[in-house]
């Protein structure tokens, strides 16, 4: 199958366009999807941290309640004497003040043999003493036994433990009641249902609350709409420093849960899970993929349409010529209509060359106009201080003389010229009171002044045609020995053009008057630069500078610079 020339031109570019577009769309989609997932994961982790923090706050509050109950005056005596009425009188106000509307919290008092002698339960209408129906419920509880035995660990004498049946588990805080001396006459327990504990956890913005599990992974309580399963494989991934991510879909809704350790009083008593609804995340990812796909498709179609039209216009004469040649070679000697004249082919070639030349000229003109604007701005900055007027132009002229001596190419000289003219453009960001200060700068003012190379670089880095000149703007205050600024480059790590610019910049500065000193004579300035060869300056550049001394002095004279008379190098 023979294809027209325009299709032979368009087809490879179409394949390349599709390949690049598909890869680019996939990469962009992956980046945006990763960003969305990262934000979602951050929210989920934040919810887990808030849940664990709420557990720590709950522990602190209940420990404070327990401390108040065990340390209330009269409780040890009433408990030692078996005075239940006295205990009711002492404990009831505590429960009434602490939990006036929470029915799930109970305050229990045990004697020294672990037998329950009093239970005070909060109700929504007040507090009442409840008959003890299970006096031996805590006789075999290890935590209670340790509390009554006065055993202390790194956290003290008080303990936290889970008790009750699995249908209605209760979290208890237990503390000893000390009688005379160190004798323990009983214990006080504050119990709160695990369901109430789970409900008190803030959870996430989309799924409030949490799910609580024991150490075996059995779910004790949950306020989540679809609590995750704490399987053996998941629990093995969890440590005090690491949580496990669980993704699930239920009733056409996506959820993500984070399962972490449930720690109280320094010990793990189970696992805690928080959950986020992932529907919004999946919807956002789907929308991103759709938008990027539509954008790529539209761009590809537009590109192909424009490319096809352009190729058709450019290849029409050639295509007609090829068809005519095929017709003639096939025996049709009378075929004339499709033959393209030599004049048409010549016209096509001339048109293409003219378009190319015009584009190059317009690009060069635009670059030169932009540079002229930047140069005018730099000269304006020099003029802010009369002592620096014309500085950039002189530095440019001196730099070109040194470049002549070092036999730099025309392209390198042009980059150097532009760098010299623009090297101080960053001073636009330095206040006039600093630039024109009649004396030495303070530490803060010096720091501000040292920022001008970075400011200038930031201003110009977006202009592609100035890229070869940007090192001169950024590094012209670096030193050969590495003690310069802003980056501390040294030796040949500093580009050659910058090393030339540095010598020219310092020479003009030394021989120019300042408000706080007179300029040095040419002899004194040259002696100062020669003394800094190998320290501040590249020795080869200094040698090239010295070889062009006569030309430089003549050139500066023509530019209107009056030679300074001071002969003290230290005055620089």
């Amino acid at each position: 199958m023979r294809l027209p020339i325009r299709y032979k031109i368009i087809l490879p570019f179409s394949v390349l366009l599709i390949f690049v577009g598909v890869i680019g769309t996939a990469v962009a989609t992956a980046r945006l999807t990763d960003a969305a997932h990262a934000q979602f994961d951050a929210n989920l982790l934040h919810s887990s941290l808030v849940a664990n923090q709420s557990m720590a706050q709950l522990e602190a509050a209940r420990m404070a309640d327990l401390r108040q109950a065990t340390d209330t005056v009269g409780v040890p005596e009433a408990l030692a004497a078996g005075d239940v009425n006295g205990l009711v009188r002492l404990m009831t106000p505590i429960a009434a003040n602490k939990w006036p509307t929470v029915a799930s919290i109970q305050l229990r008092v045990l004697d020294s043999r672990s037998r329950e002698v009093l239970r005070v339960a909060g109700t929504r209408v007040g507090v009442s003493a409840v008959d003890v129906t299970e006096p031996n419920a805590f006789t075999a509880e290890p935590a209670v036994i340790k509390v009554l035995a006065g055993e202390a660990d790194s956290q003290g004498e008080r303990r936290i433990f889970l008790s009750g049946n699995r249908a209605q588990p209760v979290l208890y805080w237990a503390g000893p009641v000390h009688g005379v001396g160190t004798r323990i006459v009983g214990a006080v327990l504050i119990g709160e249902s695990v369901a109430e504990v789970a409900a008190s956890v803030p959870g996430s913005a989309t799924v409030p609350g949490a799910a609580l599990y024991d150490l075996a992974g059995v779910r004790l309580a949950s306020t989540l709409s679809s609590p995750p399963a704490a399987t053996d494989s998941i629990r093995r991934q969890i440590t005090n420093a690491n949580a496990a991510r669980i993704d699930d879909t239920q009733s056409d809704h996506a959820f993500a849960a984070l399962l972490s350790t449930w720690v109280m009083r320094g010990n793990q008593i189970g696992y805690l899970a928080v959950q986020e609804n992932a529907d919004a995340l999946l919807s956002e990812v789907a929308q991103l993929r759709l938008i990027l796909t539509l954008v790529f498709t539209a761009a590809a179609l537009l590109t192909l349409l424009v490319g096809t039209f352009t190729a058709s216009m450019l290849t029409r004469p050639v295509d007609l010529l090829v068809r005519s040649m095929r017709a003639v070679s096939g025996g049709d000697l009378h075929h004339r209509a499709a033959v393209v004249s030599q004049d048409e082919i010549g016209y096509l070639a001339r048109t293409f060359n003219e378009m190319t030349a015009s584009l190059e000229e317009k690009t060069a003109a635009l670059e030169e106009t932009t540079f002229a604007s930047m140069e005018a701005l730099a000269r304006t900055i020099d003029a802010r201080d009369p002592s620096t007027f014309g500085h950039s132009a002189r530095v440019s002229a001196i730099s070109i003389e040194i470049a002549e001596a070092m036999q730099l190419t025309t392209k390198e000289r042009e980059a150097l010229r532009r760098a010299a003219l623009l090297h101080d453009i960053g001073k636009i960001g330095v206040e006039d009171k600093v630039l024109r200060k009649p004396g030495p700068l303070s530490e803060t003012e010096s720091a501000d002044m040292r920022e001008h190379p970075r400011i200038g670089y930031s201003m110009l880095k977006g202009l592609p045609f100035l890229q070869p000149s940007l090192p001169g703007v950024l590094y012209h205050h670096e030193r050969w020995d590495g003690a310069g600024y802003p980056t501390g480059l040294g030796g040949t790590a500093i580009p050659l053009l910058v090393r030339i610019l540095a010598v020219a910049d310092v020479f003009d500065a030394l021989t120019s008057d300042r408000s706080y000193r007179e300029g040095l004579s040419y002899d004194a300035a040259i002696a100062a630069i020669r003394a800094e060869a190998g320290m501040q300056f590249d020795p080869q550049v200094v040698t090239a500078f010295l070889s062009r001394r006569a030309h430089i002095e003549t050139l500066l004279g023509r530019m209107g610079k009056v030679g300074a008379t001071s002969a003290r190098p230290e005055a620089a």
Side-chain angles (χ1 to χ4, degrees):
M1 180 179 179
R2 294 179 176 177
L3 294 175
I5 295 177
R6 61 178 176 273
Y7 294 133
K8 291 181 180 180
I9 295 174
I10 295 171
L11 186 60
F13 288 100
S14 299
V15 173
L16 180 62
L17 174 65
I18 293 173
F19 177 76
V20 172
V22 170
I23 297 298
T25 302
V27 171
T29 301
R31 292 283 182 89
L32 293 174
T33 300
D34 289 345
H37 278 285
Q39 182 61 45
F40 180 84
D41 292 342
N43 292 337
L44 188 60
L45 178 60
H46 175 74
S47 299
S48 180
L49 295 174
V50 170
N52 281 279
Q53 184 180 19
S54 71
M55 286 296 181
Q57 292 171 347
L58 176 66
E59 175 188 344
R62 294 293 172 264
M63 282 295 187
D65 298 341
L66 182 64
R67 188 178 301 108
Q68 181 178 355
T70 57
D71 296 348
T72 297
V73 177
V75 170
E77 292 78 6
L79 184 55
D83 183 2
V84 176
N85 291 330
L87 290 173
V88 170
R89 178 174 52 80
L90 293 169
M91 293 298 182
T92 298
I94 296 176
N97 291 330
K98 293 292 183 182
W99 322 294
T101 60
V102 183
S104 62
I105 299 181
Q106 295 182 352
L107 189 151
R108 300 181 180 221
V109 182
L110 310 182
D111 62 15
S112 60
R113 292 178 297 173
S114 303
R115 292 175 59 85
E116 188 173 352
V117 296
L118 178 66
R119 185 188 312 168
V120 179
T123 67
R124 297 193 182 279
V125 295
V127 178
S128 62
V130 181
D131 293 335
V132 178
T133 56
E134 296 178 296
N136 299 315
F138 300 99
T139 303
E141 174 59 49
V144 173
I145 294 173
K146 291 179 181 179
V147 167
L148 291 174
E151 294 186 18
D153 57 15
S154 60
Q155 302 291 326
E157 296 180 312
R158 297 177 176 85
R159 308 275 173 166
I160 297 177
F161 64 94
L162 284 169
S163 186
N165 55 54
R166 287 187 173 179
Q168 294 180 329
V170 179
L171 181 63
Y172 284 101
W173 291 261
V177 178
H178 290 275
V180 179
T182 59
R183 176 170 169 261
I184 295 176
V185 297
V188 173
L189 278 62
I190 296 178
E192 184 171 0
S193 71
V194 177
E196 185 74 24
V197 173
S200 68
V201 176
S204 69
T206 59
V207 185
L212 298 173
Y213 306 79
D214 63 14
L215 291 173
V218 176
R219 189 168 67 247
L220 303 176
S222 174
T223 59
L224 304 180
S225 55
S226 56
T231 62
D232 292 341
S233 60
I234 291 176
R235 296 200 311 276
R236 281 194 292 269
Q237 303 173 27
I238 302 173
T239 64
N240 287 336
N242 295 317
R245 165 78 176 267
I246 305 171
D247 295 309
D248 192 17
T249 301
Q250 293 188 14
S251 302
D252 296 328
H253 292 286
F255 296 93
L258 201 64
L259 192 66
S260 61
T261 55
W262 177 17
V263 177
M264 282 192 161
R265 200 178 167 275
N267 298 312
Q268 182 180 351
I269 61 176
Y271 299 92
L272 181 151
V274 295
Q275 196 175 61
E276 283 273 4
N277 189 310
D279 289 342
L281 172 66
L282 297 180
S283 175
E284 180 182 356
V285 170
Q287 289 179 1
L288 287 174
R289 289 175 178 168
L290 177 61
I291 291 172
L292 288 174
T293 301
L294 291 176
V295 169
F296 161 69
T297 303
L301 290 175
L302 179 61
T303 303
L304 290 176
L305 181 62
V306 173
T308 301
F309 177 76
T310 304
S312 298
M313 295 295 294
L314 292 176
T315 61
R316 179 178 174 276
V318 179
D319 194 42
L320 292 175
L321 178 61
V322 170
R323 279 188 288 168
S324 298
M325 292 177 64
R326 286 174 181 166
V328 172
S329 64
D332 185 4
L333 301 179
H334 301 286
H335 184 84
R336 297 174 181 271
V339 175
V340 182
S341 68
Q342 187 68 29
D343 290 339
E344 289 180 301
I345 296 176
Y347 172 75
L348 179 64
R350 287 194 303 274
T351 301
F352 179 77
N353 291 335
E354 289 173 2
M355 290 173 60
T356 302
S358 176
L359 180 61
E360 291 177 350
E361 290 175 2
K362 289 179 179 179
T363 301
L366 179 61
E367 290 181 358
E368 194 59 37
T369 300
T370 304
F371 175 75
S373 300
M374 294 296 100
E375 182 184 359
L377 179 60
R379 293 179 185 276
T380 302
I381 293 168
D382 282 350
R384 289 168 71 187
D385 184 352
S387 65
T388 61
F389 182 75
H391 170 69
S392 296
R394 293 193 298 272
V395 171
S396 175
I398 297 170
S399 297
I400 295 301
E401 286 295 328
I402 299 174
E404 290 277 356
M406 301 190 76
Q407 298 181 346
L408 267 64
T409 65
T410 302
K411 190 174 183 180
E412 290 172 329
R413 294 177 192 177
E414 178 60 20
L416 176 59
R417 182 183 74 85
R418 291 182 172 185
L421 289 172
L422 300 177
H423 75 284
D424 275 341
I425 195 171
K427 288 184 179 179
I428 193 173
V430 181
E431 296 182 0
D432 282 346
K433 66 179 183 180
V434 176
L435 288 177
R436 299 179 178 180
K437 186 173 181 179
L441 300 180
S442 67
E443 184 175 345
T444 301
E445 292 168 338
S446 295
D448 290 341
M449 180 67 80
R450 286 171 179 261
E451 284 299 309
H452 80 268
R454 294 187 189 275
I455 296 172
Y457 176 80
S458 298
M459 290 175 58
L460 303 175
K461 66 180 181 181
L463 300 174
F465 71 94
L466 283 180
Q467 296 303 310
S469 303
L470 291 183
V473 178
L474 181 60
Y475 300 128
H476 66 275
H477 281 294
E478 302 289 0
R479 292 171 54 99
W480 179 258
D481 58 11
Y485 65 89
T487 62
L489 288 181
T492 57
I494 305 173
L496 176 59
L497 299 184
V498 182
R499 287 177 260 155
I500 294 173
L501 173 59
V503 172
D505 185 27
V506 171
F507 178 74
D508 186 69
L510 289 175
T511 55
S512 298
D513 291 337
R514 293 290 185 265
S515 58
Y516 53 91
R517 65 158 173 84
E518 292 182 351
L520 299 181
S521 67
Y522 289 155
D523 289 340
I526 289 172
I529 288 177
R530 183 186 288 112
E532 288 292 323
M535 290 182 291
Q536 183 174 357
F537 307 116
D538 179 355
Q540 291 184 353
V541 175
V542 172
T543 300
F545 166 74
L546 296 176
S547 71
R548 303 292 292 185
R549 171 180 177 175
H551 295 82
I552 291 172
E553 291 182 2
T554 301
L555 179 63
L556 293 178
R558 287 201 299 266
M559 295 179 73
K561 182 165 184 174
V562 179
T565 59
S566 173
R568 300 187 306 276
E570 65 275 14

